[in-house]
Structures are given as structure tokens and as C-alpha cells.
Amino acid sequence: MVLFLAGGSGYTRRQGLRRLKERLENVPGASNVRYEPSAIKPTAVVVDVDIEMFLEEPFPRDTGRLEVVWRPREETDLQRVQWIDDAISLGWHKDRDHPDLGTTHFQWETGDGTTPQREPGHIEVEAPVSFLEICLERLPDRIRETGD
């Protein structure tokens, strides 16, 4: 069965994830770009990131991980770009979990067990690489806000 993207001009799920992986291979400080749980049945693209290389400046934490999920849907694709490091987990989620916040919300939580915080994300694009690009543009400032 072939499932086509709502906003991806006819990409199949595999093609969309491949394009996301290719883009993530070019992120500054990226290493070990991979499909998870496997290349045979990918549901996400994950990349390890050297934070100082990514931000192009000193930072109190060394490494983070970026997880990108994309699932095509008939109406609006499910998309998630999530940053995870020793101190914080934050990212943009396009899903139906919080309709009061709009199509996309930004979510963050610290490792202290507090309830995740959410705010409107204001990303209205459908194509998976376009969604990723917007998140990558916003991510450095969001990471800097969490510096110790």
C-alpha cells in the first residue's frame, strides 16, 4: 500500500523520511544520522548533535539529539521535531493533541518531572522538509534560552 503525503506533493512515507534524513545530514555538528527503529521500518529520523558546533558558540552542555517524526495523514500530516539533551526536551508538534493551541504547538519540559509546558507553535506548512526548516531556524534560540 502506498500512502501519499497531504502536503508533500505525492511523497510516500519512505520518500519523505529519506528527504528529512538527507537534510539532517547537513545540520552543523550532526553525526550518526539514522532511521529509527530501523532502516527497514523507519518511523523517525534521529541525529546526534554537537551543541557548540550547532550553535557556533560555547555552551554549557555538550551533546543533544534531534528526533524528527513524520506520519502522513489524509488531512493534516502528523509531524514532530524534538530536541533532547541532559537538561531539556523541547520541540514543535503538529498533531491533534492540543487543538486549543492551533495546528502546531511548541512543547518543553525539564528533567525535574514537572508537567510539560505548551504554547502555540505557529507553523502552518505541510511539506515535511519545510516544517523541519522552520524548526531548525527557531531551534538555536530555544536551546540558548535553556543555557545554565
Side-chain angles (χ1 to χ4, degrees):
M1 178 173 111
V2 175
L3 185 57
F4 291 97
L5 242 189
S9 302
Y11 297 147
T12 64
R13 182 176 187 172
R14 183 169 299 280
Q15 290 168 326
L17 288 172
R18 181 179 46 81
R19 288 180 183 264
L20 290 168
K21 183 177 183 285
E22 289 169 354
R23 172 59 184 97
L24 288 168
E25 288 169 343
N26 294 307
V27 167
S31 65
N32 194 21
V33 182
R34 61 204 178 272
Y35 294 113
E36 287 197 355
S38 72
I40 295 170
K41 285 191 154 188
T43 59
V45 181
V46 179
V47 57
D48 299 324
V49 181
D50 178 297
I51 299 175
E52 289 188 0
M53 288 181 70
F54 180 66
L55 297 178
E56 298 179 331
E57 63 187 53
F59 198 75
R61 297 186 302 274
D62 295 325
T63 59
R65 185 175 73 243
L66 195 56
E67 297 178 354
V68 179
V69 173
W70 168 71
R71 291 188 187 105
R73 299 286 187 250
E74 283 187 29
E75 294 176 15
T76 299
D77 298 339
L78 181 144
Q79 299 183 61
R80 186 179 75 218
V81 175
Q82 191 75 23
W83 173 268
I84 302 153
D85 67 33
D86 292 339
I88 191 95
S89 175
L90 57 84
W92 294 266
H93 300 193
K94 185 175 193 178
D95 53 34
R96 298 182 185 131
D97 292 350
H98 305 282
D100 55 314
L101 298 175
T103 305
T104 303
H105 66 276
F106 178 76
Q107 177 174 312
W108 70 98
E109 59 188 298
T110 58
D112 60 9
T114 59
T115 303
Q117 303 295 307
R118 296 177 185 89
E119 63 188 41
H122 306 292
I123 302 175
E124 300 302 325
V125 299
E126 279 293 321
V129 176
S130 297
F131 186 87
L132 175 61
E133 286 297 334
I134 292 168
C135 296
L136 288 173
E137 287 174 15
R138 296 177 181 180
L139 185 58
D141 289 337
R142 290 298 193 151
I143 293 171
R144 285 182 188 103
E145 292 171 4
T146 69
D148 298 326

